[in-house]
Amino acid sequence: MISKELVAASTIPIVLSLLKEKDNYGYQLIKDVQRISGGSLQWKEGSLYPVLLKLEKKGLISSYIKQEDGRNRKYYSLNKSGKTTLSELKNEWTNINQVMITLWNPQTRLT
Amino acid sequence: MEPANSFDLDTAISQYISQVNSAKILSEEEKDQIYDHFCSEAASLQDSGLSTEEAFFIAKMRFGDSSTIQQEFAKAKPWNSLLQIVLVAVVLVLGIKLVLNVANVFSFSIVIALREFSATRVENYLNVGDWIFRIGVIIALLYLGYIIFTKVRITYIRHLWAIPTLFILSEVAIRAMMQIFFDTFTTGIFTTYYLHSSYIYFGVSCVVIIFSMWFLYKNKDQQIKFA
């Protein structure tokens, strides 16, 4: 199980990455994360919606309503600025990941 | 006899949404979004063999505590602090004026009721009455300030909407009463001058109030932290 702090820190890059693949709605985003992480990444499901709201207010994503199963379903899509932010976040996380790999892999450190 | 499964999923979801929205922070779209989430989650859990009631309780547990979700939504709706200060200041000024107007309305009511007495007696009454009302207003304002800064630490913009509304009503009432009062007791230049300056003041006040009311309405879901 991943710690609460790390889950919180990774939420935005994960949401933006998933929305880069395709437009999606809250519930499905949660299920996709569970599937991809094999259940190790557990979001408090209700907390995703305020995060989506924040991202929308920042202009990183935008939303539209679609009628599905007789209900109004709010879909999100990634904006241009969201793509830029995502690539920045990707660089940051890749750098961190690289540092960790180097630190924890003795063979890499020797080279 | 009670039916085997009397659990109403729609009602249960609506109740949960009402809990999250107890501070009226959610838009209709956000309520629909939570409703859709619960319906999707409950359907998925029911497909795996759970009853409607069990599915709802698990969905609720996974979604999170209603007050926590409410707080997170509140945080996601940031409030411009400069505008907050300006708005609170406008509302505070209107609030003070409202209290003074209420005192004046009482004062004028009594004066109008005493019209049959001589002008001197009414004037004497006004002098005494003004002092009493002014002291009353100061005490009321101090008490209000005490309540705000010690007890009500957080409120929502929509709670302040009553102040400009009541202020407009009190202005209308007081102007109507002044008209009656001056028509009865004064004539000539003073009345004309007073009413003309009053109209300008009233017009400017209306613009400020209409703007502040529109602004309050636009931001009705925002929180105000007093301390």
Side-chain angles (χ1 to χ4, degrees):
Chain A
M1 195 71 103
I2 300 167
S3 76
K4 211 172 130 184
E5 289 76 17
L6 201 53
V7 169
S10 62
T11 305
I12 291 173
I14 289 171
V15 169
L16 295 179
S17 303
L18 287 170
L19 290 177
K20 198 190 172 192
E21 286 175 20
K22 59 171 184 175
D23 292 3
N24 219 332
Y25 58 99
Y27 178 75
Q28 196 52 51
L29 284 170
I30 293 163
K31 295 300 143 189
D32 284 352
V33 167
Q34 283 172 3
R35 180 178 48 79
I36 292 164
S37 70
S40 62
L41 199 64
Q42 291 288 337
W43 282 346
K44 200 57 157 170
E45 298 184 357
S47 301
L48 175 69
Y49 295 98
V51 172
L52 290 168
L53 182 64
K54 272 184 206 167
L55 294 175
E56 200 178 358
K57 285 202 165 195
K58 281 183 184 170
L60 303 182
I61 60 174
S62 47
S63 66
Y64 57 92
I65 303 289
K66 223 172 161 181
Q67 273 274 329
E68 277 180 5
D69 304 328
R71 299 192 293 270
N72 284 337
R73 189 161 274 169
K74 195 174 183 180
Y75 272 81
Y76 293 92
S77 58
L78 193 65
N79 287 345
K80 202 179 165 190
S81 55
K83 283 177 190 163
T84 314
T85 306
L86 177 61
S87 70
E88 287 165 7
L89 288 169
K90 227 169 171 178
N91 282 339
E92 286 175 24
W93 280 85
T94 308
N95 288 343
I96 294 279
N97 189 36
Q98 199 54 53
V99 172
M100 295 303 182
I101 288 170
T102 311
L103 279 170
W104 293 334
N105 188 342
Q107 280 184 337
T108 326
R109 284 180 83 177
L110 288 171
T111 55
Chain B
M1 203 174 126
E2 188 98 353
N5 188 2
S6 61
F7 185 79
D8 183 3
L9 182 63
D10 267 0
T11 310
I13 297 172
S14 298
Q15 279 171 355
Y16 178 80
I17 293 172
S18 299
Q19 284 170 20
V20 177
N21 197 33
S22 63
K24 303 277 179 272
I25 200 151
L26 300 177
S27 66
E28 286 305 313
E29 220 173 79
E30 285 153 5
K31 283 193 245 176
D32 282 350
Q33 200 174 29
I34 298 174
Y35 179 78
D36 178 51
H37 177 101
F38 268 84
C39 289
S40 306
E41 184 86 292
S44 159
L45 291 163
Q46 280 174 286
D47 285 346
S48 61
L50 295 181
S51 71
T52 314
E53 195 170 0
E54 288 167 334
F56 171 73
F57 281 108
I58 290 175
K60 195 167 95 166
M61 201 180 68
R62 287 181 181 173
F63 199 81
D65 173 55
S66 58
S67 61
T68 311
I69 303 300
Q70 187 184 98
Q71 281 169 16
E72 286 177 14
F73 266 107
K75 277 185 212 159
K77 296 182 175 185
W79 175 240
N80 186 320
S81 58
L82 180 67
L83 288 176
Q84 176 178 338
I85 291 164
V86 170
L87 183 68
V88 170
V90 168
V91 171
L92 197 67
V93 169
L94 293 180
I96 292 167
K97 192 77 177 70
L98 171 66
V99 176
L100 291 169
N101 278 359
V102 170
N104 281 335
V105 165
F106 275 111
S107 178
F108 279 122
S109 304
I110 296 164
V111 170
I112 289 163
L114 291 172
R115 264 197 295 196
E116 69 271 18
F117 293 104
S118 71
T120 320
R121 284 189 67 179
V122 171
E123 215 170 279
N124 286 341
Y125 167 77
L126 266 179
N127 286 338
V128 178
D130 269 0
W131 274 108
I132 295 168
F133 280 120
R134 274 165 212 213
I135 292 165
V137 164
I138 291 165
I139 292 168
L141 284 175
L142 286 175
Y143 183 67
L144 195 71
Y146 169 77
I147 296 276
I148 288 170
F149 288 106
T150 58
K151 295 186 179 170
V152 187
R153 294 203 175 267
I154 292 176
T155 190
Y156 290 90
I157 293 288
R158 66 181 169 280
H159 296 152
L160 300 179
W161 216 59
I163 294 175
T165 313
L166 290 172
F167 173 75
I168 286 176
L169 289 175
S170 73
E171 279 289 307
V172 170
I174 207 152
R175 243 132 267 280
M177 285 180 154
M178 277 169 130
Q179 192 71 50
I180 296 166
F181 179 77
F182 285 122
D183 280 347
T184 315
F185 294 104
T186 66
T187 52
I189 296 165
F190 174 72
T191 312
T192 315
Y193 169 77
Y194 181 83
L195 288 177
H196 281 173
S197 65
S198 174
Y199 289 147
I200 295 163
Y201 160 77
F202 193 55
V204 172
S205 301
C206 279
V207 172
V208 172
I209 293 159
I210 289 166
F211 175 74
S212 65
M213 286 180 85
W214 169 80
F215 202 79
L216 288 173
Y217 179 74
K218 282 272 288 178
N219 297 286
K220 62 185 187 299
D221 291 337
Q222 299 294 348
Q223 280 186 331
I224 292 181
K225 287 178 187 163
F226 285 108

